[in-house]
Amino acid sequence: MPERVRASSAHISPSAHYTGYVWYRHRLADPAFVTPFGRFVHKLLWPVTWGARAGFGLDIEAFLLQRHLQIDAQLTEAIERRGVRQVVEIACGLSPRGRRFCSRYPELQYLEADLPAMAARKRLLLHGEGWLDGRHQVRAVDILAERGNQSLASLLASLDHSQPVVVITEGLVNYFPLELIEGFWSRLATGLSDFPEATYLTELYPDLREHPRYRQLRWGVELIGRLTRGSYPLHYRDHAEIVTGFQRCGFARVQVLDPSADAGSLGLPAARLPGLVRVIQAQV
């Protein structure tokens, strides 16, 4: 794999440690998912996150919980109402979702995937806790690789193509320029077209310039970019642009969800400001 591709992807992993600690703090993850680095970064950023919450009503952890629980809700619906029995979570990081859903649904096949170093760490974590088995597995993948055993095509080839599937990416999309991420979405839509039913769940932060805290949002975006040694571009301006973008990549049905509007049903407090994060449910 070319060095440029590896460098373009590798900056994502540090944020996985921070979010892993957030999931644990909010009782969504077992203590095994906490890393010393995640705990350290959370403590280091606490004055910043407190100031953003107190001064501007921007609660970073609330945004993370909104997207995580909204994706959980859509996945639950797919399993319980549409009979989905296989799930792929790409860029799984230290997400506890695979552990929680495999415990809740014994018939579920759950495949987690991430860059090689993070995948190895996740595999060791799950294996060490006795959670890894034939129906819950971890593989290496690089979403920018167009061929080879770490490509998206190779990952999808390991699934049962006679059964419906749900593919999830969380905390991934906004680390890449739109051209690169739309390339991934196009390859994903092509791969998912081989299944009888396929759903893609992801989240993104659109460029909501009309939001009352847009200036503070841009400052936060720049901070995230520095912390993760990369950029954090905001894609699309509104719901219509999101739908058009996903359809251009090959998804026929696109639903844009605002988790802040569903806070009550997600078990979260009512949002003080309009939401910043959107969860996308796209089907081929």
Side-chain angles (χ1 to χ4, degrees):
M1 191 188 315
E3 182 65 25
R4 179 184 64 83
V5 171
R6 288 202 297 268
S8 297
S9 302
H11 64 272
I12 300 170
S13 295
S15 64
H17 296 267
Y18 176 83
T19 55
Y21 187 70
V22 170
W23 308 147
Y24 167 72
R25 264 176 47 82
H26 293 275
R27 301 180 180 180
L28 292 171
D30 294 280
F33 289 89
V34 177
T35 66
F37 182 68
R39 192 185 299 271
F40 167 76
V41 172
H42 189 274
K43 184 177 181 180
L44 180 69
L45 292 180
W46 180 254
V48 176
T49 57
W50 180 88
R53 184 171 58 251
F56 307 114
L58 295 175
D59 190 334
I60 295 174
E61 291 195 24
F63 300 152
L64 294 175
L65 289 170
Q66 285 173 1
R67 81 185 195 196
H68 196 76
L69 294 177
Q70 185 73 72
I71 291 174
D72 279 0
Q74 302 311 118
L75 179 57
T76 298
E77 180 183 41
I79 294 170
E80 295 185 354
R81 296 188 181 181
R82 304 204 304 274
V84 168
R85 294 295 179 266
Q86 56 182 347
V87 179
V88 182
E89 185 168 2
I90 299 172
C92 60
L94 293 171
S95 167
R97 183 177 288 115
R99 161 65 177 160
R100 286 190 284 108
F101 273 79
C102 282
S103 297
R104 190 182 308 169
Y105 302 103
E107 72 281 9
L108 196 64
Q109 298 284 329
Y110 206 103
L111 176 59
E112 302 196 46
D114 210 318
L115 293 168
M118 182 57 77
R121 183 172 194 143
K122 189 66 170 289
R123 190 181 299 110
L124 284 172
L125 185 159
L126 296 174
H127 179 74
E129 297 295 322
W131 297 331
L132 206 62
D133 56 30
R135 66 188 187 89
H136 189 183
Q137 301 180 19
V138 182
R139 281 191 55 182
V141 71
D142 188 323
I143 68 162
L144 301 184
E146 298 187 16
R147 59 184 62 86
N149 60 6
Q150 292 181 15
S151 67
L152 176 65
S154 177
L155 186 71
L156 296 179
S158 66
L159 304 177
D160 183 350
H161 282 59
S162 69
Q163 298 296 322
V165 65
V166 171
V167 174
I168 299 169
T169 62
E170 181 180 7
L172 173 75
V173 168
N174 283 99
Y175 285 106
F176 294 97
L178 185 58
E179 181 180 0
L180 277 181
I181 204 64
E182 283 194 343
F184 163 67
W185 287 336
S186 296
R187 293 192 299 276
L188 178 60
T190 298
L192 293 182
S193 65
D194 292 335
F195 293 83
E197 179 186 325
T199 302
Y200 173 49
L201 297 172
T202 193
E203 104 290 345
L204 56 79
Y205 294 84
D207 194 8
L208 300 173
R209 298 182 185 182
E210 71 281 1
H211 195 278
R213 293 290 184 263
Y214 181 74
R215 290 179 61 188
Q216 291 79 19
L217 172 64
R218 291 303 315 181
W219 176 84
V221 164
E222 292 176 5
L223 175 63
I224 292 172
R226 292 192 185 101
L227 291 173
T228 56
R229 306 189 303 275
S231 61
Y232 202 81
L234 302 181
H235 306 318
Y236 309 121
R237 287 291 309 277
D238 52 32
H239 285 202
E241 283 194 8
I242 293 172
V243 171
T244 299
F246 275 80
Q247 289 178 338
R248 182 168 59 245
C249 293
F251 292 95
R253 297 179 296 281
V254 183
Q255 185 178 8
V256 182
L257 304 168
D258 179 356
S260 68
D262 297 326
S265 64
L266 298 176
L268 296 171
R272 294 169 53 189
L273 290 170
L276 291 171
V277 64
R278 299 293 183 268
V279 168
I280 316 303
Q281 179 168 276
Q283 296 174 303
V284 293

